[in-house]
Amino acid sequence: MTMKIRGTGSSLPEKAVSNDDLAKIMDTSDEWIRSRTGIGSRHIAVNETTTSMSVDAAQKALADAKMGAEELDLIIVASISTDQCLPSTACEVQAAIGAVNAVAFDINAACSGFLFGLSVANAYFAAGTYEKALVIGAETLSKMMDWNDRGTCVLFGDGAGAAVVEKSDIGLISMIQQSDGTRGGVLSCRNRPVNNPYVQNDTALAFTKMDGQEVYKFAVRTVPKAVSQVLEKGNVSADEVKYFILHQANIRIIDSVAKRLSQPLDKFPTNLQTCGNISAGSVPILLDYVNREGMLMRGDKIVLAGFGAGLTWGAALLVW
Ligand code: ACO
């Protein structure tokens, strides 16, 4: 394995919307949302876009890595909510930060997007094609919600996270990725009209529909298995891992994964309480928080894991 994380950054919209705020505009309550999901509030983009948050997170990650944008030779943006089809968000980031030497493109692997992006970068490093990459997970999910469907719109938030990664002999220990398109119907986003109460005159392509219970079953069965697979592949025990940084879908999923891995909950940092589920943005935003809070020392082992629509899932075991 051939990749090391050099720096991280993140960006959240200014507007925070609490469960109580939502209860004023729909038939829901803080008690219902918090007890079933752990979510207390989320950030909703009003003036921000997927591109602007990606650029902000990218600049912070480069500063953290002490690397100039012109040193990058690859930019990957993972997103299911880009501002437009063309040009790609990655090309817009490239232009905005002045990464004149980078190849840039977007990928869509839903909540596993950041993990899949890391894996693509790692494959380029292993092949000897590129050496320094920026991997971003960014979403404006509020544009994809049916704000009349209280079963989905309360779960999600907006934001972006980024990591500067570099070819290295130490860092990534093991990684897995998987997809199962036969079960894709449990979480989908197809054509729709627009009704976001926080943004006027907006347009978007689709509403998110979810069979929550099927997604829950998928997550609690698949994530512990994926984490166990990277640990086994890397010959590392769960006890040796300092933090498990999981996609932030639901506190009950995280509790269940912790139990199945027989690990204490304090090894599972969370930000879903204030951010909700940011799909591809969840893992890099949380990683940036853990990094900036000084919770990681060089040599610490961490596991990153994403899971979501597709269905897709992936996990990575790294030495910090
Ligand atoms: N406020 C109040 N009541 C609500 C709300 C709400 N926001 N949403 C749904 N309800 C009501 C429903 O209308 C229903 O009422 P009824 O019994 O009168 O018909 C009742 O609550 C139960 O609805 P369910 O959808 O069955 O609720 P459930 O207990 O399954 O909880 C939840 C829904 C939290 C989504 C759960 O299925 C879950 O945790 N799923 C995991 C999936 C997940 O977290 N997905 C996130 C995105 S996917 C990803 O990132 C991988």
Side-chain angles (χ1 to χ4, degrees), residues 26-29 32-33 36-37 111 149-152 154-156 187 210-219 247-250 252-253 277 279 307-309:
M26 67 184 73
D27 184 13
T28 190
S29 66
W32 193 97
I33 301 170
R36 280 170 179 78
T37 70
C111 308
D149 177 9
R150 63 182 181 170
T152 51
V154 304
L155 304 174
F156 297 92
L187 186 50
M210 181 179 69
D211 181 336
Q213 283 162 19
E214 284 306 311
V215 173
Y216 183 86
K217 281 188 238 163
F218 150 68
H247 169 51
Q248 301 287 292
N250 188 309
R252 293 186 302 137
I253 293 174
N277 177 347
S279 192
F307 51 95

Side-chain angles (χ1 to χ4, degrees), residues 89-165:
T89 306
C91 281
E92 297 218 304
V93 170
Q94 180 202 17
I97 66 174
V100 289
N101 299 308
V103 165
F105 57 89
D106 294 353
I107 61 169
N108 173 347
C111 308
S112 313
F114 181 72
L115 268 297
F116 280 33
L118 287 181
S119 178
V120 173
N122 183 56
Y124 276 123
F125 296 161
T129 315
Y130 302 124
E131 297 197 347
K132 289 176 183 171
L134 181 62
V135 180
I136 299 172
E139 306 288 5
T140 312
L141 299 174
S142 57
K143 292 187 182 179
M144 298 168 66
M145 293 300 124
D146 178 353
W147 287 88
N148 294 316
D149 177 9
R150 63 182 181 170
T152 51
C153 70
V154 304
L155 304 174
F156 297 92
D158 302 334
V164 172
V165 291

Side-chain angles (χ1 to χ4, degrees), residues 2-314:
T2 50
M3 182 172 69
K4 178 183 178 185
I5 296 180
R6 278 267 310 259
T8 63
S10 62
S11 181
L12 292 168
E14 202 180 322
K15 186 172 184 62
V17 175
S18 70
N19 294 342
D20 287 333
D21 292 332
L22 291 179
K24 289 178 195 146
I25 60 165
M26 67 184 73
D27 184 13
T28 190
S29 66
D30 180 59
E31 192 282 320
W32 193 97
I33 301 170
R34 212 179 274 274
S35 63
R36 280 170 179 78
T37 70
I39 297 166
S41 66
R42 71 288 293 143
H43 293 262
I44 302 286
V46 177
N47 299 311
E48 301 85 355
T49 63
T50 299
T51 303
S52 73
M53 293 186 287
S54 296
V55 170
D56 188 29
Q59 286 168 331
K60 289 171 179 164
L62 283 166
D64 188 42
K66 299 183 178 56
M67 191 186 285
E70 69 291 343
E71 290 180 62
L72 292 170
D73 40 30
L74 177 65
I75 299 174
I76 299 171
V77 174
S79 182
I80 55 171
S81 52
T82 57
D83 303 321
Q84 70 277 318
C85 292
L86 302 170
S88 70
T89 306
C91 281
E92 297 218 304
V93 170
Q94 180 202 17
I97 66 174
V100 289
N101 299 308
V103 165
F105 57 89
D106 294 353
I107 61 169
N108 173 347
C111 308
S112 313
F114 181 72
L115 268 297
F116 280 33
L118 287 181
S119 178
V120 173
N122 183 56
Y124 276 123
F125 296 161
T129 315
Y130 302 124
E131 297 197 347
K132 289 176 183 171
L134 181 62
V135 180
I136 299 172
E139 306 288 5
T140 312
L141 299 174
S142 57
K143 292 187 182 179
M144 298 168 66
M145 293 300 124
D146 178 353
W147 287 88
N148 294 316
D149 177 9
R150 63 182 181 170
T152 51
C153 70
V154 304
L155 304 174
F156 297 92
D158 302 334
V164 172
V165 291
E166 182 174 48
K167 185 169 179 170
S168 166
D169 291 338
I170 51 154
L172 185 63
I173 300 173
S174 57
M175 191 172 227
I176 64 122
Q177 288 175 274
Q178 276 183 281
S179 306
D180 178 2
T182 64
R183 290 190 285 161
V186 300
L187 186 50
S188 65
C189 196
R190 305 188 195 277
N191 291 342
R192 59 125 167 145
V194 172
N195 68 350
N196 179 343
Y198 295 101
V199 180
Q200 300 302 309
N201 304 320
D202 207 6
T203 58
L205 289 175
F207 276 151
T208 300
K209 298 270 178 227
M210 181 179 69
D211 181 336
Q213 283 162 19
E214 284 306 311
V215 173
Y216 183 86
K217 281 188 238 163
F218 150 68
V220 297
R221 285 175 193 154
T222 308
V223 182
K225 215 184 283 176
V227 171
S228 300
Q229 279 172 325
V230 283
L231 292 174
E232 204 173 306
K233 243 176 125 176
N235 202 20
V236 167
S237 74
D239 292 343
E240 292 173 73
V241 173
K242 181 140 186 207
Y243 292 119
F244 297 87
I245 298 176
L246 306 187
H247 169 51
Q248 301 287 292
N250 188 309
I251 198 71
R252 293 186 302 137
I253 293 174
I254 294 169
D255 283 350
S256 166
V257 173
K259 277 197 193 96
R260 287 183 195 220
L261 292 171
S262 304
Q263 291 297 303
L265 252 188
D266 60 10
K267 288 173 80 171
F268 292 74
T270 56
N271 65 4
L272 56 79
Q273 296 83 352
T274 54
C275 290
N277 177 347
I278 313 181
S279 192
S282 270
V283 170
I285 291 170
L286 183 57
L287 178 65
D288 182 49
Y289 172 80
V290 168
N291 178 26
R292 276 169 203 276
E293 286 295 302
M295 293 162 68
L296 289 170
M297 306 281 284
R298 287 286 156 211
D300 283 344
K301 294 187 177 73
I302 58 170
V303 168
L304 310 179
F307 51 95
L311 299 172
T312 56
W313 59 100

